[in-house]
Amino acid sequence: MADGVRGKVYGRRRFLKQLGQGTAAAAALAYPHPRSPHAATAKNPQVRYAMVIDTRRCVGCHACSVACKAEFDVPLGFYRSWVEYVEKGTFPDVRRSFLPRLCNQCSNPPCVDVCPTGATWQREEDGIVEIDPDICIGCKYCILACPYDARFANPVTGTAEKCDFCLHRVRNGLEPACVETCIGRARIFGDLNDPNSEVGRLLATTAVTVLRQEMGTKPNVYYIAADHTGEGDARAGQYVRVTTHRRQKDRR
Amino acid sequence: MDELVWGYPIVFHLFLVSLGAGVLAVSAYLVLWRSDDPAAFALARYGAFLAPLPLLLDGLVLILDLGSFHAGYWFKFLNLYKIVTASPMSIGTWLITAFIIISLLYAHTFLRMPAGPDDPRVGRRRGLAWAGLAVALTVAAYPGFLLSGMQARPFWNSPLVPLVYFFSALVLGIACKLLFLAWRTRSTPTTKDRGDGPGLTVWLARIGTYLSAGELLLVILFVVFAHRGAGSVTQAVTVIMGGGVLATVFWFWAVAVGLVLPMLIMMVAAFRPPATLEGVLLKAVEIAAPLLLLFGAFMLRYVFVVAGQITGPVGL
Ligand code: SF4
Ligand code: SF4
Ligand code: SF4
């Protein structure tokens, strides 16, 4: 409750600031509000930003990871967005695929529920889960509560950190850094509530999956043709290896 | 390779919280229901003085462990006090703060000598003992709620975890009281059976036996339910089953040495034929058993903290 109220105030303050800079108009042009019949709430926002990742187009080049690192000056060993290599099979029946990862901006985010300071909350205006570094005390509870291991403790700032869909860019009408940089056009970003957006169209016409659906978190990052295999799922005799560049090597 | 997000400070946190809660709960119990026994009163008094210390130390440990403290924002932890959320950690913060205040006030009623069961502060003391008992029992279960509420951490995600911590805290309270008996000068006999029941040492050993048996049962239920289940929980619990990286620490050090052995010692002392408890058995029940219980409780928390973080949901 308190999170929602605080989120609203925070959002409004920033919105007014942007208005002054004349950038809100640009943001509105880039991602127009849908004609939403319902009142916006954190769980049911007017704009629902989402990402569709078409793994068939991903070549595992890590340009997205690097762009993200550069955008946020992410410390060594940690990633807001990263790419996993999934290798499986025995020659000649082998496959290597890539799974770009990031915070899922869950509609039902457990990380928000556990935060004791209200430093992390879900924005009512677009559903993005945000962290206020001025409030976060670095207790790391949210890091453990996230079923996607999407958060890390930034050793420099002492706060929890994760992907926020490049909020500072998006609200200025730009795409997230990883999306803009993706050489394969594997990452597609937009407003899910807008049926004419590319993500809206893709979701309407393509089979997509989300990660760990059974957790009930309602992720807003969707995958096309993702290989969900993990090392733990390997059937007898099957070779499966998942690797990343993160300091945390294993999926958990 | 897994990075531990929560390390030793959190193991100490879970241990110190349980220790303080257990000591206060047993002390309050003695004041409320055994105040006719001067030895029990003396013990309750020691307990009252000890109870706030682990929690004060715990507060310090937690603050030092915060990322914000490491980054040089020493007082940022005060943000915890600007809001109440439904987060177990937020509720825990307020609970622990209340615990510290109540336990200090409670200890204060024992401060001025001569403190005794009939001194003028008895009314205030009993009132604070009730408040202390309530807050201690809640704080005793709190670490379990802190851990068990996360679906992302299947090892912790069991309703039995708060119960395990609840019993474990009370066992720690009994263990500290037994240690006090060994340490204090024996101005009043505690080893002889009294006309209306067992002496204090035997009484404590008896309660300690019941509580550790309860804890053992809960631990076994926890493992059985997890192991006989399916999916993430079953997968997570393999780290403490045969061949798991934490199997020895858990079964040998935490359960066998840290729980079953002291339980057996207390059982022998508590249910021997009525007579004076003395010699090796007295030493064992007042010194060895409580030390083993303290050690076991620490190991149990170590296993929990690590196991919960090196395991996660199955599949992606
Ligand atoms: S992916 Fe993790 S950090 Fe992101 S919103 Fe979901 S639970 Fe929170
Ligand atoms: S690390 Fe920060 S954002 Fe995460 S739960 Fe703690 S205070 Fe909240
Ligand atoms: S930049 Fe695009 S193609 Fe390259 S790894 Fe990232 S998602 Fe895949």
Side-chain angles (χ1 to χ4, degrees), chain A residues 189-217:
Chain A
F189 178 77
D191 174 14
L192 214 56
N193 284 347
D194 177 1
N196 295 321
S197 67
E198 197 178 348
V199 288
R201 281 205 309 274
L202 275 171
L203 250 66
T205 56
T206 320
V208 292
T209 54
V210 293
L211 302 184
R212 288 184 175 156
Q213 185 175 19
E214 69 283 2
M215 291 279 139
T217 50

Side-chain angles (χ1 to χ4, degrees), chain B residues 19-32 39-56 99-112 115 119 121 124-126 128-129 132-133 136 173 176-177 180 183:
Chain B
L19 188 68
V23 170
L24 184 62
V26 178
S27 168
Y29 181 91
L30 292 175
V31 161
L32 291 171
F41 182 84
L43 205 55
R45 186 163 168 267
Y46 285 124
F49 293 151
L50 175 68
L53 301 180
L55 273 289
L56 287 168
F99 180 104
I100 291 174
I101 294 169
I102 292 172
S103 61
L104 284 172
L105 290 174
Y106 174 66
H108 182 254
T109 67
F110 288 94
L111 207 56
R112 261 177 297 147
D119 69 15
R121 281 155 286 151
R124 200 153 76 90
R125 181 178 306 130
R126 284 182 67 86
L128 283 164
L133 190 63
C176 284
K177 293 291 186 298
F180 272 134
W183 167 67

Side-chain angles (χ1 to χ4, degrees), chain A:
Chain A
M1 231 6 107
D3 297 353
V5 173
R6 229 187 43 68
K8 200 171 169 184
V9 173
Y10 191 66
R12 191 179 300 136
R13 198 167 60 223
R14 289 201 169 173
F15 178 77
L16 289 173
K17 207 166 142 195
Q18 286 168 5
L19 208 63
Q21 296 162 347
T23 51
L29 275 182
Y31 299 105
H33 280 233
R35 299 143 303 280
S36 165
H38 54 72
T41 61
K43 298 252 181 269
N44 214 355
Q46 279 207 319
V47 176
R48 162 58 78 195
Y49 286 133
M51 191 178 288
V52 175
I53 299 179
D54 189 346
T55 62
R56 297 168 304 184
R57 303 180 67 101
C58 174
V59 295
C61 66
H62 287 295
C64 48
S65 320
V66 174
C68 176
K69 279 222 155 217
E71 190 76 22
F72 293 100
D73 203 9
V74 180
L76 203 65
F78 299 103
Y79 291 82
R80 284 173 167 234
S81 177
W82 68 101
V83 182
E84 290 175 355
Y85 291 9
V86 182
E87 296 165 9
K88 63 182 192 183
T90 320
F91 184 81
D93 303 317
V94 290
R95 174 187 155 100
R96 181 188 227 196
S97 58
F98 309 105
L99 195 68
R101 301 279 309 268
L102 69 164
C103 164
N104 288 288
Q105 315 296 346
C106 307
S107 290
N108 198 7
C111 55
V112 169
D113 295 339
V114 300
C115 179
T117 59
T120 189
W121 79 97
Q122 191 171 30
R123 285 162 54 88
E124 287 188 0
E125 44 283 64
D126 49 27
I128 291 179
V129 174
E130 210 186 339
I131 303 170
D132 187 336
D134 291 335
I135 298 177
C136 173
I137 56 170
C139 70
K140 310 182 199 98
Y141 202 3
C142 56
I143 299 176
L144 290 170
C146 169
Y148 305 101
D149 215 4
R151 294 176 169 237
F152 61 91
N154 185 318
V156 181
T157 60
T159 60
E161 207 174 299
K162 69 169 190 74
C163 160
D164 62 357
F165 273 172
C166 279
L167 193 53
H168 62 297
R169 293 171 58 93
V170 170
R171 69 154 73 97
N172 287 303
L174 300 170
E175 292 193 305
C178 60
V179 174
E180 190 172 86
T181 208
C182 177
I183 58 160
R185 284 281 293 138
R187 291 180 181 241
I188 301 128
F189 178 77
D191 174 14
L192 214 56
N193 284 347
D194 177 1
N196 295 321
S197 67
E198 197 178 348
V199 288
R201 281 205 309 274
L202 275 171
L203 250 66
T205 56
T206 320
V208 292
T209 54
V210 293
L211 302 184
R212 288 184 175 156
Q213 185 175 19
E214 69 283 2
M215 291 279 139
T217 50
K218 300 206 172 80
N220 285 296
V221 173
Y222 297 86
Y223 290 88
I224 298 175
D227 190 343
H228 292 255
T229 315
E231 280 161 7
D233 311 325
R235 275 171 287 278
Q238 189 189 21
Y239 173 84
V240 177
R241 195 171 73 145
V242 179
T243 46
T244 78
H245 289 84
R246 301 200 306 162
R247 225 165 75 174
Q248 164 63 34
K249 290 295 173 205
D250 291 339
R251 275 182 187 162
R252 61 178 174 190

